[in-house]
Amino acid sequence: IKSASRDGKIYLANDNADGQIVLSGEINAIEYILQNAKSLNIRRAIKLPVSAPFHCELMGHAAQVLQVEINKINFNKFDADLYSNVTSMKCTENEIAQLLIDQIVSIVKWREIMQNMIKDGYSKFIEIGPGNVLTNLVKRMSKNIHAFSISKIEDLKKLEISKKNTFQLAGKLVGENYNQDKHGYGVEIKAISYHQLLVQEGPPAHLRVILDL
């Protein structure tokens, strides 16, 4: 990062797992990393097709915009443990507004969140949304956990069924408006690791790159 910073602003944005991080920054600094990956002892560097340099100081304006809007919201007490990207620890309804603002410009402590959840006794993890990147990252953490990727409604068959009225939430998150009565099963959500992305339109002046070290 120090050597790349001569060509532009660049920041550590995600701590994904042992041996994998994500950098966000200005194009010239990111290009330096990509072009010099071998000499920097980086095993693999992949440019990510994103529209903004998420989770770094370059997102400061977005954080200011969110602060104005989020201050209009009153948060209820959580029904499940919520782990913050910023601290990697459990947070409360009194802390979440500021943490959501801070996480826009702060490193995502994904590895630390997963370590803390495992330490707290969680052994089953569900990724909701397209792809299975997070599922594979979680599986790196421990051999004593079960991780599942839910990208379509049929994937719910992978899970142990618990008759909880949370299936409608899971359905909405994967883009399907199903409910428990129609399909007869649900998913019990006990803890959540929150990850928020803000997208800005227009040609990219900044990029992100994922590094396998």
Side-chain angles (χ1 to χ4, degrees), residues 150-195:
I150 305 300
S151 59
K152 54 185 181 297
I153 212 68
E154 292 79 8
D155 289 340
L156 288 168
K157 296 177 182 178
K158 300 175 184 178
L159 308 176
E160 292 183 6
I161 304 307
S162 58
K163 295 288 184 178
K164 298 290 183 180
N165 196 22
T166 55
F167 178 79
Q168 190 170 6
L169 169 62
K172 288 180 179 178
L173 287 172
V174 296
E176 301 287 350
N177 189 19
Y178 291 88
N179 56 54
Q180 183 177 358
D181 294 335
K182 181 177 179 180
H183 288 270
Y185 48 77
V187 180
E188 183 177 8
I189 299 176
K190 295 183 178 179
I192 302 169
S193 171
Y194 190 86
H195 185 65

Side-chain angles (χ1 to χ4, degrees), residues 11 15 22 28 39-40 75-76 98 126 131 143-144 168 183 188 194 196 208 212:
Y11 305 88
D15 181 4
V22 178
N28 288 343
S39 63
L40 294 171
F75 290 90
N76 295 326
Q98 188 59 49
I126 305 169
K143 296 180 180 180
N144 300 317
Q168 190 170 6
H183 288 270
E188 183 177 8
Y194 190 86
Q196 168 115 359
R208 281 160 61 85
D212 287 326

Side-chain angles (χ1 to χ4, degrees), residues 24-42:
S24 289
E26 295 176 327
I27 287 178
N28 288 343
I30 295 296
E31 289 294 340
Y32 176 88
I33 294 291
L34 292 166
Q35 295 169 9
N36 295 278
K38 186 174 181 180
S39 63
L40 294 171
N41 295 319
I42 298 170

